[in-house]
Amino acid sequence: MTGLRRVLLVSTLVATLALAACSTSTPGQPGSSNPAVAGTVACVYTPSGATAGTTSVTPPPAVAVPATGTVTVTLHMDAGDVTMTLDRAGAPCAVNSLVSLASQQYFDNTSCHRLVPDFVLQCGDPTGTGRGGPGYTFKDELSGSETYPYATVAMANAGPNTNGSQFFIVIGHTVQLPPKYDVLGAADAASMTVVESIAAQGVDPTDPAGIRPAEGAHIITATVS
């Protein structure tokens, strides 16, 4: 890949780390508190309407959403298992959505659709186009101090408050992104070996956009524990 082409790809990815976020009552806060149930928040998942890229599912529960603790989602991929530990406190509505989608088998038999070596691997669009979503969106959960070190798992979006089903795993060690993407958690070291093996295969030479992973990025199933 030429230097110019890589710059263009990275610029495009930063602009559209696409697609999908949880309504918050106060900007910059993870969600509106629910004093009736300690340690929970209320979320808002807004229907986005049926489009060519929509693979609709039942929206996640929106009340008494856990805002403490962690949950594990494992992607069982052709290349091996990728285990992601998600922190509910950081982005409870986003984590709630991802867990719900995985539980509904939304990610089963799909493929990660975007790879930029030394940058990110992006997954979560059953259409494989980068434009697909679950039929709802939700608002950002950002403090403004988010960083994206190696192995970070974060929501992708198409602009403010457009979160849906797509997420990315950071595979670069010096990635610089603006704090515009909800941080979900991180993949463990063994999982990053799997992700790196996918990245090592490069992109599919037949892909006109030059971003589709060549091998190993198919998600057989996703499980929650």
Side-chain angles (χ1 to χ4, degrees):
M1 180 183 297
T2 65
L4 176 58
R5 187 180 182 196
R6 173 171 170 71
V7 168
L8 290 173
L9 282 174
V10 171
S11 297
T12 299
L13 191 63
V14 171
T16 62
L17 263 167
L19 277 173
C22 150
S23 181
T24 62
S25 59
T26 306
Q29 298 301 314
S32 56
S33 63
N34 183 350
V37 184
T40 70
V41 298
C43 302
V44 176
Y45 300 102
T46 304
S48 58
T51 67
T54 299
T55 304
S56 296
V57 293
T58 302
V63 297
V65 173
T68 60
T70 61
V71 60
T72 298
V73 174
T74 300
L75 308 177
H76 304 280
M77 307 180 72
D78 285 353
D81 288 355
V82 174
T83 298
M84 308 178 296
T85 299
L86 311 182
D87 182 3
R88 294 185 185 275
C93 298
V95 171
N96 183 54
S97 175
L98 192 70
V99 167
S100 173
L101 291 172
S103 298
Q104 294 184 67
Q105 302 179 315
Y106 183 83
F107 302 120
D108 291 8
N109 196 30
T110 68
S111 293
C112 299
H113 61 277
R114 176 173 288 169
L115 168 67
V116 179
D118 299 318
F119 195 54
V120 301
L121 176 68
Q122 189 167 328
C123 314
D125 174 12
T127 74
T129 64
R131 297 184 295 275
Y136 63 83
T137 60
F138 55 99
K139 291 185 178 179
D140 298 327
E141 300 173 278
L142 300 168
S143 67
S145 61
E146 285 78 12
T147 58
Y148 306 91
Y150 182 76
T152 294
V153 180
M155 291 301 298
N157 61 55
N161 304 318
T162 59
N163 299 287
S165 61
Q166 296 187 38
F167 60 93
F168 61 91
I169 302 172
V170 176
I171 55 177
H173 290 274
T174 58
V175 169
Q176 298 294 321
L177 285 170
K180 295 182 179 181
Y181 310 98
D182 292 2
V183 174
L184 300 172
D188 62 24
S191 299
M192 289 309 295
T193 298
V194 174
V195 174
E196 292 284 8
S197 74
I198 295 171
Q201 300 300 314
V203 297
D204 183 346
T206 68
D207 179 25
I211 58 174
R212 186 171 61 232
E215 298 287 344
H218 176 253
I219 300 170
I220 303 165
T221 187
T223 57
V224 179
S225 59

